[in-house]
């Protein structure tokens, strides 16, 4: 497996500028000769489809929802980072770069992160021009707020609906291209395989979710913007439809999968209330700007009314352990700290799995109206779900799977190890290392889609020339057949267990043994449990209905098939990485204070997994990470 | 909780469809409405029956995918709440609940509770955008926008495109949806250059798709999970008149 990251020469500040000049262009009149497939219509997919369409390429964009506007980017609440330094508080491209590298626990690629920080400023400009109604001050200028892992205010936001507004901006730009015919949009289509011709990605196989038809589509390049895999845990903050299928099928066709064990458990979610639960709901991290996190100092107080517990009997554990960042400690650290206090028996709410996020001080300081203006929709959402009023009593929160930093390996050009197969946004691995900072996912999705891929794709297309194969060709027929075979097999088993029950069981294994804390014994057990669960699935699953129809059970079954294989890969990677870093916490590797302990000597690399066949163990390859600008140090937020 | 459900079942677009009765026992009050349907579907699958098809995705009230008419009200009885955010504590033990799709002429029923809302995408494609080439934007602070204008745009932009407004309207009007997008873009300085063109084109697409006109009943606002105001419709009507006259004068020369 060739893992040449193709990082451009020169000082880090000039790499992207130099690269843009050196790479090839496709001239405007030749662009119409090229056909591009984009899978996914979230921030990355929609922004790339809009931009490539506008440049004159023929674009086909696919999504499984009924409209591109529904992709899960829409649910991001808090904000988007940009190194504008509008607050004059010492921010700069370099500081955003530094914060992101440090936040990622020195496991990301310097050159990519620097480019991301540079492009962050363009994103804000672009979105403002599209009519995204970012929050503003009375003077008419853009407002900012702080987010975890940073000591400057660089987060731009649109109430608690920033993801929605940014996605609707990208969707509107996409809609314009659809209206001109430059982009053809295929909704309710799910990608089920990637097709290679002469080792280059040249097309995809989809299932039409309404008619059940399996179709082959060919192109000059395929771009995956298919999001993350948090739903491997069954309960996560992702939309119920989010899945790993597109990425995993590309992996099985030869794309390296990097760092699957880097999963982010978000500290501020509404705790689980019972076995009926189908998803967990996030409360934006921005709440930690004004909310104080605490648990009772004494176990005996856990069932008491929180308002009756006096200040000296409360443990504001984040402020105590991390005085300089306090409640704004990064996500991995906050989540782990919440788990620790709950493990000590000091958790609150059902099953003692929860901590308080308290707004009483902020309300007495600023008044209820100010707090309502900032977070009103979140407080309302909390009340709808829990039936409790957070203006009157502290919220209960607990960590939940939220984002995945791992993903398909890409080089500096966002191309996977399969030539012609590009990967953007959460689906790739490159920018967040072992932990993503808040408000950086939106930034990365849009940077990739608006400003990186349109350049780097042109370079590839110019190199290979326009050469779209016939979708009736041999490779397409074979891929279609294997998709059809799997569908038939799923429908023919007619066993006793529902698809959902398998997904729930897989999620429990993953959460208990490969969640916030992992160890060798648990991971080894998980691998064998998942493998036997998979066997059981293929002999005892029950999928109702037909393949030639709208069949949501069949859709779910196909996704769970891939999660059942992928979960094992995730555990394997976690077992292999004998260190703790960011979201990956191995109990064997921690300081005496319980902080994550990295092993830079042996693990300063991206682990990239190569698929070797159904019965074979995947092979690990390494991309060594070089730190020329920021020297890796112990990541301290104290 | 113990509940009786009457659920609309329809095989495909051509089928005539009917309400089917289901009995549900032991439902937790903390369960969401869709989680209650999940449990019903699990029991159907276990029996080898086809589960009820319904649209859902984010389950946190923002993607706009869920589209159930519950006891005759799009998204059900709670104000400012999508069906996915509705919880069973809003219902009484022993209650009979009727669940139907979002009904309206422009939205064909695809299967069971799923409808085709692609007409909304067509309205946006007709002009629901500001034409700005990627990379050609000025600095974000180059044009100050007063907080009140920006808040007004945000109030309009909060629409999630679920189409409850259409389902609630006896005329199947899409005026709330369309006017919200137009108000957002037309109220901002960035959207001014295409103001009239956008408005006329989106309204004409709305008519072409078969949506009816607004007769000021306000049901749309009452069911809107994001509380989008009918004032946007009034603004649209006023601006439509202005734009049409301007257009007419131009044609006369």
């Amino acid at each position: 497996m060739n893992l040449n990251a193709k990082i451009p020469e020169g000082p880090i500040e000039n790499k992207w500028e130099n690269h843009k000049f050196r790479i090839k262009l496709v001239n405007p009149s030749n662009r119409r000769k090229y056909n591009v497939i984009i899978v996914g219509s979230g921030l990355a997919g929609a922004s790339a489809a809009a931009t490539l369409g506008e440049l004159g390429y023929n674009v086909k964009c696919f999504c499984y929802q009924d409209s591109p506007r529904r992709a899960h980017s829409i649910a991001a609440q808090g904000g988007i980072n940009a190194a504008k330094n509008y607050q004059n508080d010492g921010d700069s491209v370099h500081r955003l770069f530094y914060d992101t590298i440090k936040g990622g626990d020195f496991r990301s690629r310097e050159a990519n992160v620097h480019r991301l920080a540079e492009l962050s400023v363009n994103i804000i400009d672009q979105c403002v021009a599209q009519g995204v109604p970012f929050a503003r001050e009375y003077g008419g200028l853009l407002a900012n707020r702080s987010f975890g892992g940073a000591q400057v205010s660089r987060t731009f936001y649109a109430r608690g609906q920033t993801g929605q507004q940014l996605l609707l901006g990208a969707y509107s730009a996409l809609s314009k291209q659809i209206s001109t015919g430059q982009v053809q949009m295929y909704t309710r289509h799910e990608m089920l395989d990637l097709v290679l011709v002469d080792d280059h990605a040249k097309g995809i196989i989809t299932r039409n979710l309404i008619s059940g038809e399996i179709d082959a589509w060919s192109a000059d390049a395929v771009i995956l913007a298919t999001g993350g895999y948090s739903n491997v845990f069954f309960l996560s903050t992702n939309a119920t439809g989010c899945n790993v299928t597109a990425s995993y099928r590309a992996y099985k066709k030869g794309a390296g999968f990097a760092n699957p064990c880097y999963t982010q458990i978000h500290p501020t979610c509404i705790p689980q209330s019972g076995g009926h639960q189908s998803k967990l709901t996030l409360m934006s991290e921005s709440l930690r700007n004004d909310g104080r996190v605490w648990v009772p100092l004494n176990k005996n107080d856990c069932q008491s009314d929180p308002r009756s517990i006096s200040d000296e009997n409360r443990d504001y554990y984040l402020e105590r352990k991390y005085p300089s960042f306090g409640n704004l400690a990064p996500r991995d650290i906050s989540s782990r700290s919440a788990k620790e206090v709950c493990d000590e028996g000091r958790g609150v709410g059902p099953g003692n799995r929860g901590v308080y996020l308290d707004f009483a001080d902020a309300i007495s300081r600023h008044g209820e109206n100010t707090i309502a203006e900032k977070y009103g929709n979140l407080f309302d959402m909390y009340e709808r779900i829990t039936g409790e009023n957070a203006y009157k009593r502290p919220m209960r929160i607990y960590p939940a799977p939220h984002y995945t930093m791992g993903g398909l390996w890409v080089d500096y050009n966002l191309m996977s190890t399969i030539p012609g197969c590009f990967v953007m946004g959460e689906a790739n691995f490159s920018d967040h290392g072992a932990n993503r900072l808040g408000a950086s996912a939106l930034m990365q999705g849009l940077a990739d889609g608006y400003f990186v891929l349109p350049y780097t794709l042109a370079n590839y297309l110019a190199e290979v020339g326009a050469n779209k194969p016939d979708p009736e060709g041999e490779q397409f027929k074979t891929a279609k057949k294997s998709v059809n075979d799997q569908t038939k097999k799923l429908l023919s088993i007619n066993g006793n267990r529902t698809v959902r029950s398998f997904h729930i069981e897989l999620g429990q294994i993953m959460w208990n043994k490969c969640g916030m804390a992992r160890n060798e014994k648990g991971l080894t057990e998980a691998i064998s449990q998942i493998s036997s669960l998979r066997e059981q699935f293929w002999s005892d699953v029950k999928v109702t209905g037909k393949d030639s129809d709208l069949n949501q059970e069949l859709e779910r079954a196909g996704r769970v098939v891939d999660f059942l294989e992928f979960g094992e890969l995730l555990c394997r990677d976690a077992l292999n990485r004998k260190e703790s870093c960011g979201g990956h916490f191995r109990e064997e590797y921690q300081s005496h204070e319980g902080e994550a302990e990295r092993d830079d000597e042996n693990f300063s690399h991206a682990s990239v997994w190569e698929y070797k066949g159904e019965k074979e163990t995947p092979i690990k390859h390494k991309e060594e990470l070089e730190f020329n600008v920021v020297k890796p140090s112990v990541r301290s937020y104290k | 909780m113990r509940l009786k459900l009457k659920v609309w079942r329809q095989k495909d677009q051509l089928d005539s469809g009917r309400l089917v009765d289901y009995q549900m026992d032991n439902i937790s009050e903390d369960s969401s409405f869709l989680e209650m349907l999940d449990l019903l579907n699990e029991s159907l699958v276990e029996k080898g029956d086809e589960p009820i098809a319904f649209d859902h995705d984010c389950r946190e009230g923002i993607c706009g995918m869920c589209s159930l008419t519950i006891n005759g009200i799009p998204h059900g009885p709670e104000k400012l709440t999508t069906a996915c955010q509705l919880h069973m504590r809003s219902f009484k033990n022993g209650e009979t609940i009727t669940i139907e799709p979002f009904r309206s002429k422009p939205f064909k029923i695809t299967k069971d509770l799923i409808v085709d809302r692609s007409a909304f995408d067509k309205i946006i494609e007709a002009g629901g955008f500001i034409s700005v080439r990627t990379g050609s934007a000025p600095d974000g602070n180059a044009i100050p926008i007063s907080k009140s204008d920006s808040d007004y745009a945000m109030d309009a932009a909060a629409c999630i495109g679920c189409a409850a407004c259409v389902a609630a309207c006896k005329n199947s009007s899409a005026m709330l949806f369309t006017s919200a997008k137009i108000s957002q873009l037309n109220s901002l300085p960035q959207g001014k250059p295409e103001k009239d063109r956008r408005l006329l084109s989106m309204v004409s697409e709305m008519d072409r798709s078969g949506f009816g006109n607004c007769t000021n009943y306000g049901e749309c606002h009452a069911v809107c999970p994001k509380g989008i105001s009918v004032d946007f419709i009034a603004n649209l009507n006023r601006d439509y008149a202005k734009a049409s006259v301007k257009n007419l004068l131009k044609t006369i020369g």
Side-chain angles (χ1 to χ4, degrees), chain A residues 266-273 280 292-299 301-304 306 309 315 317-318 334-358 382 386 388 393-400 511 516:
Chain A
H266 196 291
T268 50
C269 301
I270 301 178
Q272 197 181 341
S273 69
L280 295 168
R292 296 178 73 194
V293 179
W294 64 275
V295 287
L297 201 56
N298 310 310
K299 285 181 200 175
D301 286 340
C302 288
Q303 302 305 330
S304 320
I309 304 172
D315 179 10
Y317 57 89
L318 286 176
S334 308
S335 292
R336 221 160 34 241
S337 304
K339 179 180 187 296
E340 265 169 39
V341 293
C342 292
D343 286 348
E344 288 165 17
R346 294 193 285 142
V348 297
N352 289 67
R353 287 278 142 193
V355 300
Y356 290 124
L357 179 61
D358 198 336
Y382 181 79
T386 62
E388 290 173 14
R393 60 183 293 151
M395 279 183 184
R396 286 175 297 107
I397 52 165
Y398 197 66
W511 182 239
M516 274 187 282

Side-chain angles (χ1 to χ4, degrees), chain A residues 51 54 64-70 72 74-75 77 84 86 125-126 128-131 133-134 136-142 158-159 161 164-165 168 171-172 175-176 178-179 188 210 237 239-241 273 276-279 281 373 381 383-387 450-451 498 500-501 542 544-545 549-550 552-553 556, chain B residues 28 30-31 35 38-39 42 45-46 48-60 62-65 80-81 85 87 89 110-111 114-115 117 120-121 124-125 128-141 143-147 150-151 153-155 157-161 177 184-185 188 190:
Chain A
T51 305
E54 182 181 81
Y64 73 78
Q65 298 91 343
D66 73 331
S67 161
R69 67 179 289 155
R70 312 224 192 269
H72 197 58
I74 204 152
Q77 298 167 351
K84 283 284 197 186
Y86 283 159
D125 301 341
Q126 183 67 28
V128 167
Q130 285 170 345
F134 283 121
R136 286 179 184 267
E137 297 160 353
Y138 283 104
L141 303 180
L142 292 160
R159 295 196 188 140
Q161 293 128 277
Q164 180 201 25
Q165 294 311 315
L168 293 182
Y171 161 74
S172 70
S175 295
K176 180 172 186 226
I178 295 172
S179 74
R188 295 207 199 257
I210 302 288
T237 65
T240 45
S273 69
H276 53 261
Q277 202 130 352
S278 61
K279 82 156 267 157
T281 303
E373 183 159 308
M381 182 147 86
E383 184 163 7
R384 272 196 294 274
I385 293 173
T386 62
Y450 282 132
F451 299 114
T498 62
R500 183 181 150 104
S501 76
K542 183 177 208 140
T544 49
D549 189 10
L550 191 159
Q552 293 177 315
E553 279 298 296
R556 184 186 283 162
Chain B
S28 158
D30 289 330
S31 143
E35 284 163 356
D38 288 342
L39 294 178
E42 284 292 283
V45 174
E46 278 163 12
D49 293 342
E50 259 211 75
I52 299 155
F54 65 94
D55 264 332
H56 60 96
D57 206 24
C58 79
R59 296 203 176 195
E60 48 189 274
I62 193 76
C63 78
M65 191 99 171
L80 302 173
T81 304
Q85 291 272 285
H87 280 66
R89 66 180 79 90
T110 310
K111 184 176 181 175
I114 295 181
V115 293
R117 288 168 288 182
F120 265 23
D121 289 322
I124 300 296
E125 285 159 27
F129 47 78
I130 291 173
S131 301
V132 48
R133 215 172 24 255
T134 305
S136 60
D139 184 85
N141 263 346
I143 309 169
I145 300 172
S146 77
K147 187 171 182 304
S150 165
D151 285 347
M154 182 62 216
D155 288 343
C159 167
I160 58 172
F177 169 78
Q184 177 207 342
L185 299 178
L188 294 167
Q190 290 86 343

Side-chain angles (χ1 to χ4, degrees), chain A residues 572-606:
Chain A
R572 204 172 284 286
D573 186 44
L575 182 63
N576 179 276
R577 187 165 283 277
K578 294 188 171 65
E579 65 161 350
S580 294
C581 57
H584 170 66
F585 188 75
R586 281 284 298 266
E587 287 168 344
E588 301 94 318
Y589 309 100
Q590 53 180 309
S591 70
H592 58 274
E593 287 168 312
E595 301 293 339
E597 228 166 36
R598 277 197 335 262
D599 177 356
D600 288 342
E601 205 167 303
N602 297 304
F603 286 97
S604 183
H605 62 251

